[in-house]
Amino acid sequence: MGQGNGIIPDLQAAMRAEALRHTVIANNIANAETPGFHRRTVVFEQKLAEAIARADGEDHEAVSPEVRTASDPMNENGNNVDVEVEIGAMIRNASAYKVHMRLLSKMYHQLDTAINGI
Amino acid sequence: MSDIRIGGSPVDIAVSGLRAQSKKIGVISSNIANAFTTRGEGGQPYRRQEVLLRTSDELMGGVRIDRVAQDDASDFKRILMPGHPDADSQGYVAMPNVDVSSEMVQLTTASRAYQANAAVLKRYQEMVDLTVELLR
């Protein structure tokens, strides 16, 4: 594989994390009124940045997203979901997913050009 | 680039606006619900609440909810209802200092502001989509 193809697993990992985050946000919104529910977040980009800073080789591919339970201040019924915040996070996440999907599609398109010619 | 630190992204700013207006709508609905509550805390009638908004400390960081303050400045309305259990010796009942019609006006303003913030969020999303389209 050439240099450029190394990015495909990274894009796939990012998209996996974003898909997971979408599910987690959807779950938060679904539980917006559930007493005692604590919102969850997905930590990925931060872990990836740390791994890249630490790594001298390829081991940042081993970074996997982590679901954390947030301990923000809670309202009366022990729930800390704020629907507006979740919608903002979902929009941001969807935008990142779209960018990564387009980049991945572009990478595959390049491979296709290399194999079949223009 | 200048040294000025620009705070959140448009998403964060619009979300802060949505949260502020949603809190406002919550407090207005409490005021309307308690417009005729003659006994609240300490046996006094309900006092209307007001949300105080502040700009975020960060430059362009959106809005934040400072606190929910109680309106102690305006007086209770006194209505003649001699048969009411909470009436005083002259037959007057102290009613909350809530003016339902002005609360309705504020409710409309707050929900319009909420819509405006939601429109900003939607428009920003469309802008990002437009940029993503360039990646074809």
Side-chain angles (χ1 to χ4, degrees):
Chain A
M1 285 288 223
Q3 276 282 297
N5 296 328
I7 203 171
I8 290 179
D10 290 353
L11 284 172
Q12 284 169 333
M15 285 170 73
R16 247 196 315 275
E18 282 145 10
L20 173 67
R21 183 176 289 132
H22 193 84
T23 313
V24 165
I25 293 170
N27 186 48
N28 287 345
I29 293 176
N31 284 290
E33 303 292 332
T34 309
F37 178 82
H38 292 202
R39 71 186 287 260
R40 300 194 183 106
T41 53
V42 172
V43 182
F44 176 71
E45 288 80 2
Q46 192 191 334
K47 285 180 75 181
L48 182 67
E50 283 165 10
I52 290 172
R54 215 172 333 105
D56 23 332
E58 296 287 289
D59 82 322
H60 63 265
E61 280 171 22
V63 174
S64 57
E66 183 190 328
V67 178
R68 284 190 195 158
T69 304
S71 53
D72 309 23
M74 268 158 267
N75 65 14
E76 311 80 53
N77 60 5
N79 184 308
N80 59 359
V81 178
D82 191 343
V83 176
E84 285 88 11
V85 171
E86 301 300 336
I87 288 171
M90 193 174 257
I91 287 177
R92 195 193 301 273
N93 190 54
S95 299
Y97 188 87
K98 280 177 205 162
V99 170
H100 291 145
M101 191 187 64
R102 275 287 151 78
L103 285 172
L104 192 62
S105 138
K106 221 173 168 64
M107 290 305 301
Y108 284 129
H109 189 75
Q110 264 182 27
L111 281 179
D112 187 57
T113 310
I115 294 165
N116 297 319
I118 304 164
Chain B
M1 285 291 279
S2 66
D3 290 344
I4 304 168
R5 198 177 124 47
I6 303 285
S9 79
V11 174
D12 293 323
I13 298 173
V15 165
S16 80
L18 286 174
R19 294 184 71 186
Q21 299 307 327
S22 142
K23 181 79 182 169
K24 236 177 156 160
I25 291 169
V27 167
I28 291 168
S29 63
S30 160
N31 288 342
I32 293 174
N34 283 293
F36 300 99
T37 308
T38 50
R39 245 185 246 205
E41 270 175 78
Q44 286 285 90
Y46 174 86
R47 276 196 178 276
R48 65 179 291 270
Q49 310 283 314
E50 180 91 52
V51 179
L52 293 180
L53 302 178
R54 294 276 179 273
T55 50
S56 170
D57 301 329
E58 246 180 324
L59 187 65
M60 313 279 255
V63 64
R64 66 183 171 83
I65 300 157
D66 190 40
R67 63 196 167 90
V68 179
Q70 188 164 296
D71 178 359
D72 289 325
S74 51
D75 291 326
F76 293 131
K77 285 174 282 187
R78 283 165 56 80
I79 294 173
L80 185 63
M81 288 173 90
H84 198 283
D86 290 331
D88 62 9
S89 53
Q90 281 118 33
Y92 282 97
V93 180
M95 283 289 180
N97 56 348
V98 176
D99 177 16
V100 176
S101 51
S102 91
E103 296 295 332
M104 289 308 293
V105 171
Q106 289 197 46
L107 179 64
T108 309
T109 315
S111 66
R112 285 286 179 208
Y114 190 96
Q115 281 176 23
N117 280 292
V120 169
L121 206 54
K122 190 161 182 275
R123 189 59 68 89
Y124 178 73
Q125 194 182 13
E126 285 165 16
M127 277 166 57
V128 172
D129 286 351
L130 202 65
T131 312
V132 173
E133 283 300 309
L134 296 176
L135 262 177
R136 274 200 182 278

